Amino acid sequence: MGMFTGKIGLVMGIANDRSIAWAMTESLVREGAELAFTHLPSPSSERRVRQLVDPLGPKVLLPCDVQKDEDIAKVFKAVQDAYGRLDFLVHSIAFAPPQELRKPYIECSREGWHLAMDISAYSLVAVSRAAAPLMPEGSAIVTISYFGGEKVMPGYNMMGVCKAALEHSMRYLAWDLGRKGIRVNAISAGPMRTLSSAGVSGFDEMREHAVRKSCLGRNVDPEELGKAGLYFLSDFSNGVTGEVLHVDCGYSIVGL
Ligand code: NAP
């Protein structure tokens, strides 16, 4: 018996086996969770995600572009039909046009800013609203942030502003859903090589800097993010909501 045996979760944001959402999935599956999944509505995204999750036999694996309310509605309807409830939700989604990230923040376009905010921050509001009616008391939502939402990390630019909005949305959602017994938290992850991070200029320097500066003298491991996910999604964190947990080897506490 794992600590998630009998629990139903939805994981949004797997691109491939380097995705943070995949690290969460592996930890959750080891602990007995039954999972549903989404992928971006494109044949290549579907192929990549199917390859990974088909062996887990999900009852729900559906396309979902979080910019589309109708996609979100279909996913949560399918979850309701297949399982009747949802015990937890992993939101691990972000996007900013790469050309916007390469420019200084002051040069970012209105369109690029809105797009990045919609996908990277508003989507947490949209999916939490759709998930809440399916969630019994004791359920939990977790999202993934980065320290660039608290401090200026040169190169992270527009995405840092999105992460600031994401973290504060998470707190307001924690308030709105708290009286229903649903907790909402964020993991602020240290830099990991993934598809998304490839679009951030100076990302390799961020990883090197993290090794020099962090208390543990290294970068975070995917499994460590998976374990932090278990904490927020299980009753180990029953009294915790609206919190940002830095899983960054102690990078964020050092003032260098
Ligand atoms: P990833 O593997 O590329 O995951 C990002 C996911 O977002 C992908 O599955 C992507 O789908 C999905 N996505 C993008 N636009 C979407 C849309 N409109 N609708 C639905 N899904 C969409 O990268 P990751 O690093 O694991 O990122 C996951 C989260 O962790 C993000 O919020 C990221 O900002 C955060 N984070 C990452 C790091 C890091 O260093 N990697 C550090 C801290 C926080 P497709 O791939 O199919 O396009």
Side-chain angles (χ1 to χ4, degrees), residues 91-102:
H91 171 278
S92 185
I93 288 173
F95 178 79
Q99 69 276 15
E100 297 281 357
L101 291 177
R102 283 194 288 270

Side-chain angles (χ1 to χ4, degrees), residues 12-23 38-42 44-46 48-49 63-68 71 91-96 115 118-120 123 143-148 156 159 163 166 187-198 200 203 206-207 220 225 247:
M12 306 182 82
I14 297 177
N16 56 30
D17 62 357
R18 307 189 85 149
S19 296
I20 293 173
W22 180 245
T38 62
H39 58 79
L40 254 190
S42 83
S44 67
S45 295
E46 177 170 3
R48 281 186 267 122
V49 177
C64 182
D65 178 345
V66 290
Q67 290 197 281
K68 297 191 176 143
D71 281 12
H91 171 278
S92 185
I93 288 173
F95 178 79
L115 177 67
D118 190 14
I119 297 176
S120 313
S123 65
T143 188
I144 316 296
S145 191
Y146 179 59
F147 190 53
Y156 202 58
M159 191 49 76
K163 290 306 189 194
L166 177 74
I187 292 169
S188 181
M192 311 262 312
R193 278 206 186 88
T194 62
L195 264 187
S196 292
S197 65
V200 177
F203 179 78
M206 282 181 193
R207 278 183 57 89
V220 74
L225 296 174
V247 183

Side-chain angles (χ1 to χ4, degrees), residues 9-255:
L10 173 65
V11 178
M12 306 182 82
I14 297 177
N16 56 30
D17 62 357
R18 307 189 85 149
S19 296
I20 293 173
W22 180 245
M24 301 262 176
T25 298
E26 288 192 304
S27 297
L28 287 160
V29 167
R30 257 196 303 275
E31 292 299 331
E34 178 153 6
L35 298 177
F37 300 94
T38 62
H39 58 79
L40 254 190
S42 83
S44 67
S45 295
E46 177 170 3
R47 198 170 340 102
R48 281 186 267 122
V49 177
R50 260 193 197 286
Q51 230 170 26
L52 286 170
V53 309
D54 265 353
L56 307 176
K59 288 188 195 153
V60 176
L61 168 57
L62 281 176
C64 182
D65 178 345
V66 290
Q67 290 197 281
K68 297 191 176 143
D69 289 332
E70 60 275 21
D71 281 12
I72 295 174
K74 273 187 204 151
V75 167
F76 286 92
K77 167 83 169 59
V79 169
Q80 169 144 48
D81 292 347
Y83 305 104
R85 68 168 207 282
L86 188 65
D87 298 306
F88 62 86
L89 170 65
V90 175
H91 171 278
S92 185
I93 288 173
F95 178 79
Q99 69 276 15
E100 297 281 357
L101 291 177
R102 283 194 288 270
K103 311 191 262 204
Y105 179 65
I106 198 169
E107 302 291 344
C108 74
S109 71
R110 193 184 298 272
E111 299 72 30
W113 200 89
H114 281 154
L115 177 67
M117 274 288 175
D118 190 14
I119 297 176
S120 313
Y122 182 75
S123 65
L124 179 66
V125 184
V127 299
S128 298
R129 186 166 59 238
L134 305 188
M135 295 187 126
E137 206 175 322
S139 302
I141 298 171
V142 72
T143 188
I144 316 296
S145 191
Y146 179 59
F147 190 53
E150 296 170 59
K151 299 282 180 196
V152 171
M153 305 288 284
Y156 202 58
N157 299 353
M158 177 190 281
M159 191 49 76
V161 180
C162 292
K163 290 306 189 194
L166 177 74
E167 290 183 12
H168 215 43
S169 282
M170 176 277 292
R171 295 185 188 97
Y172 274 91
L173 291 166
W175 170 256
D176 282 353
L177 296 178
R179 303 300 163 101
K180 298 188 169 83
I182 302 170
R183 298 179 297 105
V184 192
N185 289 288
I187 292 169
S188 181
M192 311 262 312
R193 278 206 186 88
T194 62
L195 264 187
S196 292
S197 65
V200 177
S201 50
F203 179 78
D204 285 340
E205 281 157 47
M206 282 181 193
R207 278 183 57 89
E208 283 159 25
H209 191 237
V211 172
R212 286 194 302 276
K213 176 182 146 174
S214 68
C215 299
L216 299 182
R218 62 174 175 83
N219 275 295
V220 74
D221 187 274
E223 205 182 326
E224 291 164 339
L225 296 174
K227 286 180 179 164
L230 295 186
Y231 166 70
F232 271 145
L233 298 174
S234 72
D235 60 10
F236 279 10
S237 60
N238 260 358
V240 182
T241 194
E243 199 61 63
V244 179
L245 177 67
H246 295 88
V247 183
D248 63 356
C249 299
Y251 177 87
S252 52
I253 66 152
V254 179

